[in-house]
Every structure is written in C-alpha cells, then in structure tokens.
Amino acid sequence: MNDIRTRAEALIAADRPAEARDLVRDALDTGGPDAGLCLVLARAHLAEDDDDHDAAAESVLRDGLDAFPDDIGLLGEYAELGARSDGFDHPGRRARGERALDRLRELAPHSAELRSAEAAGGAVSAAARDAVSIRRMQSFDTARAFADAPTPAAAAARTAQWAAAAPHDRRLAVLAETTAVLAAPGRAGARLLLLRGLEYRLAVGVLVVLLVILRLTVVPEIPLGVATGAGLLLELPFLGLRRLLRDARDRAADRLAAAVPEAVPREEEGADGGFGAPELPPVPRFTRREGAFAGAAAALLLLVGGASYAAYTAYPRYELVSHDEFRGARGVDLGAVGGPTAEDGVEDSVLRMYGSGSADGSQLVVYAAVGDFHQVRAEDVSGRYGMLGGLKDTADVREDWDARAGARGGWTRCARVVDTAGLRKAVCMWADKGSLGSVAFVAEHMGRAGIEELAADVREAFVRPAGG
C-alpha cells in the first residue's frame, strides 16, 4: 500500500491526477480500505480544482473517516477542505470541516496537520504564502549546482547520483534533468542566461530605455515600435531557456510517475562514494542579489524616467521681434489670428503684413508665435499647426515639400500656390519645440532655394532666443 501511495503521489505531482485516481481505486478494490490511500485519492480529486471533484473528495474523506475515525491525515484534509469552502454555498461541508478540526485538536494538538488546517482558514494559507514556484526552485537549485561543481558535466553527474538515491523526490528529479540538459554540448549560452539572467535583463532594460529616450528627445522620427521590437528580440534567448526548463520538468514528472517505489534506508544513502541524496536548502523567495538588482533597476527607471520626462517637456525659450519695417516695407498689424491659441501652448504671437516696399515689390505676410510646443511633431507643421489645409480651400496648391530647417532647427515645409487673383505665391511653415509660424509672399520667378532662404531669414528675424 505504501508503494501504491508513493506512486500515486508522484502522479499527482506530475499533474496526472486522473491516473493517480485509477491507480488508488484499483488498490482499494483489491486490498480493501486504507487510510493513506483514501487521503491520496481525495487529494487526486482536489488537484482538479473543480466543484464536482471537491464533492467527490469530500465523499472519499467521509468514507475514510467512517472506517478510520481518528486518522489525523484524513481529519486534517477534511478540516482544510471545509475551511476553504464557501460557507454560503456549502454550509454543511464547512460545519463538518470545523468538527473535524475540533477532533484534530483533541487528538494531535501539536501536529503539522493541525497547523496546516488552521492556516487554511485564512485568505492565504501559510503553506501557500511561504511556498515558491517549482520554476523558481528549479532555477535556484540548478544555478547552485553549477556554481558548486568544477565543471557542468560534474554537476550533471552529481545531481544524477542524488536523484537515483532518492527516486521519489520531485525536487531532485527536476534538478537532475535540468543539469543534464544544460550541461550538454552547445548549451553554454543557456547556462550563462540561467546564472547571469539578472545582469542580462538589466542590460536589455537599459538599452530599451535609451531607445525610448532617443525617440522622445533626439530622433523623434524613430518609431516607438523599434524599442519594443528590440526588447522582444533580446528576450528570445530566454524563450529558449524557458522551453529547456519546461521540458526538463516534464521529464522529471515522467521519471517520478514511472519510478518503482524502493525504500532507501537513511544509513545506506551516500554509501556509493559520497553521492547520496543531500538535504537541499530551502529556496528563498528573494535573494540579496535579486534585491540589489531590483533596487538598481528601480533606481535606473526613476532616473531615466525623470530625465526623459524633463527632456521631453523642455522647450527652447524665444522672444518675438515685431518689426515696424522689414526689407524696406512698412508693417501693418493684422490683429488676432484664428490659429493656435493659449490652449495649444502659445504664449505670444504676431501677425503682420509688409507691403509693396519689399524687395520683390510684393506683399509679405508673417505669422510667428512662441510658447511651449514640446509635443509638436513633423506632421503637425502642415497638419495641426499648418495652413496647407486652409490654402487648399482658397488656392490651388501646385506643389509642397520639406524645406531646410535652418539655424533654429525643427521642421519647415513650403508650398507653391496660385490664389484666387491668379498670383503665384509661396507659403512656408515652420515649427520647433518653442516656436512656430508661417510666411507667405509672391514668388513668380523664385526657385525652391530662394523660397527657403527667404523663409529662414523671416524666421530668424522675428524669432530670437530669449535674452539674446
């Protein structure tokens, strides 16, 4: 019966509870009632995490307690089941669980079963709170095994001996399968990721953050997807490592399920030259090294996040110069403009027209604004803040192009248009993080270079660095 129970528990650990139930039922049908097998059968039902199986588990426990009313294992499992049950949906089960708990207090007041049953009534049981995942245990044990061995092959050989000495220990089985696969030729990269994964992830995080900062501050044309793509690409090695670790856990589960129970006396362990199964140390939820890296990562994120935000929201400070005369022509103030407003970040603006005294004998209309335009992008020059959309309703736009930005930087876009009076004009619009504006003038015989040069001259004349 002990062998059947050990094998059934191994099947449950291997996530094969249905096979465990079949095995235990056959044993009960053949050998008759057994408290230990009833307990394992109930756990095989509870492993399904299903209401019907919970009901089946309760039925098994009640039958077991009818035959073995003072078995502390059955009492403890029933008390836990009742404590975890909803008192509104299953009041009878909850009440019966409390009676089992009272009986357990009488029979075994200092037992582990009682402590576990009492803790099960909380939102999170003590076992669940203190437990670590099998994946964390696997990584912790494997890294320690490789660090303590002179070579990867030696680590694999040592853990294989340990697993053979304790064939029903799930932790040792997982450790042996994992070291075997990672010690194989060509797996140096996977071993390095396992041992130095924190450093790798920190470096990847720094790279992604730098790409994001570049996108927000220096090179806004870079798509944000580049940073995301880089992070995903650099995560691919971890996907391969996770697959290796998952396959090792599956093989360990198969090994446990197929193991033939054999009692190994404690005094005989290690008799084969010191390679007996050791008592592996508990796995901490967090190591000091992990805490240090987590702190470094948090500090880095705060630092680069603050710097990125400051750089993103910063904008150059300009002041407007409203010329009474420009290029020999008197200026006329055109008053308010139905364009960007204070809600768009405008702090000051000017709209003036200069008449026939200009160099080419035509009118020149200038609009300039200064303020906080840190969110402006290249597409906003002819879109949100530009005038091409309005021009298309009142003039014939013949061509438009991206022009040289000039000394102030940012973006500039120019267009050739024919207005309703038949005049051939040029319109150029500019924007940077601290200013935006446009200039329109007659350009019958001007080429692109001349148009861009005049636009740059206007921009530098009307918008100057603050305090300059």
Side-chain angles (χ1 to χ4, degrees):
M1 289 298 183
N2 286 336
D3 292 350
I4 297 297
R5 178 175 177 176
T6 301
R7 186 171 175 80
E9 289 174 340
L11 286 168
I12 295 173
D15 198 22
R16 293 155 65 176
E19 296 178 42
R21 292 194 296 273
D22 292 340
L23 179 66
V24 173
R25 288 194 190 99
D26 290 342
L28 288 172
D29 291 341
T30 302
D34 180 88
L37 291 183
C38 288
L39 178 60
V40 174
L41 180 57
R43 289 173 176 171
H45 279 292
L46 293 172
E48 301 285 0
D49 193 19
D50 176 85
D51 287 342
D52 291 339
H53 280 283
D54 286 350
E58 182 185 15
S59 178
V60 170
L61 290 171
R62 294 181 70 176
D63 290 343
L65 287 171
D66 287 342
F68 308 96
D70 293 335
D71 185 86
I72 61 173
L74 293 173
L75 287 169
E77 195 68 32
Y78 204 167
E80 286 193 43
L81 175 61
R84 290 193 299 266
S85 298
D86 190 303
F88 292 99
D89 293 337
H90 305 285
R93 182 186 299 169
R94 188 68 176 263
R96 290 188 290 272
E98 291 175 355
R99 289 196 293 271
L101 182 62
D102 291 339
R103 181 59 176 161
L104 188 60
R105 289 192 179 105
E106 295 176 8
L107 295 174
H110 306 294
S111 65
E113 288 81 1
L114 177 60
R115 290 194 298 272
S116 179
E118 289 177 333
V124 179
S125 68
R129 183 176 64 248
D130 297 334
V132 296
S133 70
I134 184 64
R135 291 182 294 275
R136 176 170 176 78
M137 185 179 293
Q138 179 186 26
S139 299
F140 178 85
D141 289 343
T142 306
R144 185 171 176 273
F146 280 129
D148 291 346
T151 64
R158 179 183 296 174
T159 55
Q161 294 276 1
W162 292 347
H168 310 119
D169 190 311
R170 183 188 187 192
R171 187 175 176 184
L172 288 175
V174 171
L175 176 59
E177 293 291 343
T178 309
T179 52
V181 70
L182 292 182
R187 296 281 165 73
R191 290 196 302 273
L192 183 62
L193 277 182
L194 182 73
L195 295 171
R196 293 290 179 263
L198 292 174
E199 291 87 338
Y200 182 87
R201 279 205 163 95
L202 184 61
V204 170
V206 169
L207 176 61
V208 171
V209 167
L210 288 176
L211 287 174
V212 171
I213 292 176
L214 283 174
R215 164 64 174 80
L216 294 176
T217 58
V218 181
V219 192
E221 290 79 11
I222 296 178
L224 280 175
V226 171
T228 303
L232 292 176
L233 184 63
L234 293 171
E235 184 68 16
L236 287 179
F238 272 109
L239 296 179
L241 175 62
R242 282 195 286 268
R243 179 180 58 80
L244 290 175
L245 297 180
R246 184 182 63 249
D247 291 345
R249 292 195 299 271
D250 292 341
R251 287 192 298 274
D254 292 338
R255 172 193 284 196
L256 288 173
V260 177
E262 295 179 0
V264 181
R266 173 62 62 180
E267 60 271 15
E268 293 182 12
E269 292 186 3
D272 54 352
F275 287 101
E279 185 72 25
L280 295 179
V283 181
R285 295 185 66 82
F286 299 100
T287 64
R288 290 184 178 179
R289 179 168 170 268
E290 288 171 329
F293 271 92
L300 177 64
L301 286 176
L302 288 175
L303 176 64
V304 298
S308 175
Y309 181 76
Y312 173 64
T313 57
Y315 65 94
R317 267 60 173 182
Y318 295 114
E319 60 185 12
L320 291 176
V321 180
S322 181
H323 300 275
D324 292 333
E325 292 187 4
F326 184 71
R327 294 201 167 198
R330 296 290 299 178
V332 177
D333 191 352
L334 299 182
V337 60
T341 65
E343 293 182 358
D344 298 306
V346 174
E347 297 171 2
D348 193 12
S349 65
V350 61
L351 178 62
R352 295 182 70 85
M353 180 180 70
Y354 297 87
S356 58
S358 60
D360 59 0
S362 63
Q363 291 181 344
L364 184 144
V365 179
V366 177
Y367 169 72
V370 295
D372 180 0
F373 308 121
H374 73 270
Q375 299 188 64
V376 171
R377 295 288 179 263
E379 57 270 19
D380 295 328
V381 177
S382 57
R384 179 182 177 187
Y385 296 114
M387 297 182 180
L388 281 181
L391 285 172
K392 290 177 181 178
D393 296 332
T394 60
D396 180 11
V397 179
R398 298 298 175 86
E399 65 171 333
D400 58 275
W401 69 93
D402 290 325
R404 290 180 289 107
R408 297 282 188 266
W411 307 272
T412 301
R413 190 165 183 82
C414 294
R416 293 181 187 273
V417 302
V418 178
D419 66 10
T420 54
L423 291 176
R424 297 179 180 273
K425 293 183 177 181
V427 178
C428 290
M429 292 147 282
W430 79 82
D432 59 41
K433 302 296 183 180
S435 74
L436 56 85
S438 66
V439 56
F441 49 89
V442 175
E444 290 283 355
H445 306 293
M446 295 180 67
R448 283 190 176 188
I451 293 172
E452 293 179 11
E453 182 179 357
L454 178 54
D457 289 345
V458 170
R459 180 181 180 187
E460 292 187 22
F462 281 78
V463 178
R464 296 179 181 176

